[in-house]
Amino acid sequence: MLPYHQKSLGRDWTAPWENLQRCCWNRHISSCMRWPGHYSRAPYPYFSSRHFSLNWRPPCLFESRTQFQYWNWRPDNLSQTSLIHLSSYIMNSEGDEPSSKRRKHQGTIKRHWEDVCNHNKEETKILGVKNDDPICEDSENKFDFSVMSYNILSQDLLEDNSHLYKHCRRPVLHWSFRFPNILKEIKHFDADVLCLQEVQEDHYGTEIRPSLESLGYHCEYKMRTGRKPDGCAICFKHSKFSLLSVNPVEFYRRDVPLLDRDNVGLVLLLQPKIPSAASPAICVANTHLLYNPRRGDIKLTQLAMLLAEISSVAHQKDGSFCPIVMCGDFNSVPGSPLYSFIKEGKLNYEGLAIGKVSGQEQSSRGQRILSIPIWPPNLGISQNCVYEVQQVPKVEKTDSDLTQTQLDKTEVLVTAEKLSSKLQHHFSLSSVYSHYFPDTGIPEVTTCHSRSAITVDYIFYSAEKEGVAGQPGAEVALVGGLKLLARLSLLTEQDLWTVNGLPNENNSSDHLPLLAKFRLEL
């Protein structure tokens, strides 16, 4: 038994032995448990049910064992009335989250399906979580499918950035707790296509891929370069699509000093399975752009490389593009220059500060102006975000000329360009989400941790746009390309902090999954 006369260390308190496990979970001691990648020397060791066996011996609580030599530490002396000292851990270091963001009540966040076709938020209704509601039925004239984009939070990255999760109870941050929750979400929403970011390679091979394959998905994966532990995955249901091509994109280029980061993208060409009907293929892209808010030049170049690959994959023989869905964590906020470039198809970056490209922060750091051009010519990508090829010489046509197959593979011919500060791309892309709640103007958020709650995750899709007057985000894709049928609602920062932010007991990533239902008119 611990002596009552022992001096307390700091803000200590005593707890009955019979309540020890409950105290370890519910009190501040949970904030100082030892867990992988957290503090190198936690104030007290990690307690769990497996430690409390008949042969349990409590580990030394201090660096020197001599302090406890006269204490009779034996399990037979730990009676039901025994007391044990536990430190009350108080977060007071710089960067800790404000007290209003600590230990909120536990609960579940409520998200519902918004039927975009009604053009009216008041007509929002809760639809089935499966793809079995009336608006998602395939026929000879249409093909309906759903897409999820989800940054599932790599465990290694979580542990390397533990300062972002000080608000969390430590047990909910373990992969053994998180993965079942993530898989439960995927099963619950039952999307036809999954675009996952921060997929850790070892977890992908041993747990994620086998679990998704058992649910009827075919999985493709691209790991980040440079021995980074995670990457991007695109998974699709065998019952809905067949695979035409897999096109990984590595943003690291040894011959381009600007591109010294290990981010990647993945582009798939999928063929819808529709009996007795011809349909165009669908191009699905997934990426996770560089985070660094001060390196907008790298972000824009990575985006241009992804768009060039999409252009190559989605290009059809008649010169048009097949429908496109582009998902990912773009590490840029709505309304930023990078976001506007995706939606508007053009960007004049002359005089644009490198730190303002993504809009992640408004500080004075990183105010170097973007160079013209941003990337060097040897990258092989034009200002129109397509692969550059040599001009085909004009000669008389003979049997030895280029074959039709070679011509089909030829990209858009690009002549030598003068230096220009204007970027363009050929797609008409809309965002599934409006990014603001029309009734209040409060921003939607897709990620939330101890330091921020913002939108950085998107599902973009190709559609001709028709402007609709009204609140921000009232623009709806009506004709051409893909038609947006419904989307899973997002939340405000306040909504998320009512359940202690992200991750929490029910949501096991620091990002929310995005989900949309589309219709392809045949």
Side-chain angles (χ1 to χ4, degrees), residues 402-452:
L402 294 175
T403 65
Q404 184 61 43
T405 301
Q406 290 172 316
L407 290 173
D408 290 342
K409 292 182 178 179
T410 301
E411 304 294 339
V412 178
L413 301 181
V414 182
T415 58
E417 299 179 65
K418 63 179 182 180
L419 296 181
S420 172
S421 61
K422 296 180 180 179
L423 296 179
Q424 292 182 328
H425 66 74
H426 301 298
F427 315 121
S428 177
L429 297 175
S430 295
S431 174
V432 162
Y433 288 92
S434 59
H435 313 307
Y436 298 91
F437 289 91
D439 296 337
T440 62
I442 297 175
E444 299 171 334
V445 300
T446 67
T447 181
C448 176
H449 50 64
S450 292
R451 294 213 170 163
S452 68

Side-chain angles (χ1 to χ4, degrees), residues 245-258:
S245 69
V246 180
N247 309 273
V249 185
E250 296 183 355
F251 298 143
Y252 175 83
R253 287 283 297 268
R254 184 177 302 174
D255 57 335
V256 180
L258 173 68

Side-chain angles (χ1 to χ4, degrees), residues 290-292 295-303 331 360:
L290 177 70
Y291 165 75
N292 192 334
R295 293 308 304 267
D297 52 345
I298 299 179
K299 292 175 190 274
L300 279 173
T301 306
Q302 291 180 345
L303 176 61
N331 275 315
Q360 292 163 281

Side-chain angles (χ1 to χ4, degrees), residues 137-143 274-279 520-522:
E137 296 178 352
D138 297 339
S139 72
E140 293 185 358
N141 299 321
K142 63 181 183 293
F143 176 76
I274 305 178
S276 305
S279 69
L520 174 63
E521 301 286 354
L522 303 177

Side-chain angles (χ1 to χ4, degrees), residues 53 131 221 269 298 383 479:
S53 64
N131 288 335
Y221 178 71
L269 192 62
I298 299 179
Q383 297 287 90
V479 293

Side-chain angles (χ1 to χ4, degrees), residues 143-213:
F143 176 76
D144 293 354
F145 65 101
S146 56
V147 177
M148 173 189 281
S149 182
Y150 196 5
N151 182 326
I152 64 173
L153 180 57
S154 160
Q155 189 67 22
D156 282 359
L157 294 179
L158 181 156
E159 294 168 6
D160 289 343
N161 296 277
S162 59
H163 62 282
L164 299 179
Y165 310 105
K166 293 179 180 180
H167 62 284
C168 300
R169 301 179 187 275
R170 297 303 167 226
V172 308
L173 297 178
H174 288 280
W175 179 248
S176 59
F177 181 90
R178 294 177 53 231
F179 178 63
N181 269 359
I182 292 170
L183 187 61
K184 181 180 177 181
E185 281 186 294
I186 292 174
K187 288 181 179 178
H188 180 72
F189 293 119
D190 195 34
D192 299 315
V193 179
L194 305 175
C195 291
L196 306 177
Q197 304 90 40
E198 290 195 27
V199 180
Q200 194 163 303
E201 183 194 28
D202 55 346
H203 294 154
Y204 174 75
T206 59
E207 298 175 82
I208 298 174
R209 180 175 181 174
S211 298
L212 294 180
E213 288 180 341

Side-chain angles (χ1 to χ4, degrees), residues 256-261 263 289-303 330-332 338 352-361 363 365-371 374-376:
V256 180
L258 173 68
L259 296 173
D260 60 351
R261 309 304 165 93
N263 306 83
L289 299 185
L290 177 70
Y291 165 75
N292 192 334
R294 291 164 287 174
R295 293 308 304 267
D297 52 345
I298 299 179
K299 292 175 190 274
L300 279 173
T301 306
Q302 291 180 345
L303 176 61
F330 290 82
N331 275 315
S332 301
L338 188 144
L352 178 61
I354 191 173
K356 299 296 185 182
V357 169
S358 63
Q360 292 163 281
E361 57 182 25
S363 69
R365 296 183 301 168
Q367 293 304 299
R368 178 167 62 87
I369 303 301
L370 287 170
S371 61
I374 299 175
W375 56 83

Side-chain angles (χ1 to χ4, degrees), residues 78-247:
L78 288 173
S79 66
Q80 291 294 321
T81 58
S82 298
L83 299 175
I84 185 169
H85 268 72
L86 297 175
S87 174
S88 181
Y89 176 68
I90 303 298
M91 293 184 293
N92 56 11
S93 62
E94 183 179 356
D96 282 344
E97 73 280 0
S99 59
S100 63
K101 293 184 179 180
R102 295 185 199 160
R103 298 293 184 267
K104 299 293 185 179
H105 69 274
Q106 299 306 312
T108 58
I109 55 178
K110 303 297 183 182
R111 301 179 67 187
H112 55 264
W113 282 100
E114 297 172 349
D115 187 351
V116 179
C117 297
N118 289 331
H119 309 293
N120 192 335
K121 288 267 185 176
E122 294 180 356
E123 297 182 26
T124 295
K125 59 182 180 179
I126 298 179
L127 305 177
V129 298
K130 303 286 185 179
N131 288 335
D132 54 6
D133 56 89
I135 65 172
C136 283
E137 296 178 352
D138 297 339
S139 72
E140 293 185 358
N141 299 321
K142 63 181 183 293
F143 176 76
D144 293 354
F145 65 101
S146 56
V147 177
M148 173 189 281
S149 182
Y150 196 5
N151 182 326
I152 64 173
L153 180 57
S154 160
Q155 189 67 22
D156 282 359
L157 294 179
L158 181 156
E159 294 168 6
D160 289 343
N161 296 277
S162 59
H163 62 282
L164 299 179
Y165 310 105
K166 293 179 180 180
H167 62 284
C168 300
R169 301 179 187 275
R170 297 303 167 226
V172 308
L173 297 178
H174 288 280
W175 179 248
S176 59
F177 181 90
R178 294 177 53 231
F179 178 63
N181 269 359
I182 292 170
L183 187 61
K184 181 180 177 181
E185 281 186 294
I186 292 174
K187 288 181 179 178
H188 180 72
F189 293 119
D190 195 34
D192 299 315
V193 179
L194 305 175
C195 291
L196 306 177
Q197 304 90 40
E198 290 195 27
V199 180
Q200 194 163 303
E201 183 194 28
D202 55 346
H203 294 154
Y204 174 75
T206 59
E207 298 175 82
I208 298 174
R209 180 175 181 174
S211 298
L212 294 180
E213 288 180 341
S214 70
L215 297 176
Y217 289 97
H218 173 89
C219 303
E220 294 292 339
Y221 178 71
K222 174 56 183 173
M223 185 180 177
R224 284 201 291 164
T225 54
R227 297 183 178 180
K228 294 299 189 293
D230 65 297
C232 295
I234 300 179
C235 312
F236 60 90
K237 285 190 174 180
H238 291 286
S239 59
K240 298 284 288 191
F241 299 95
S242 57
L243 180 63
L244 297 181
S245 69
V246 180
N247 309 273

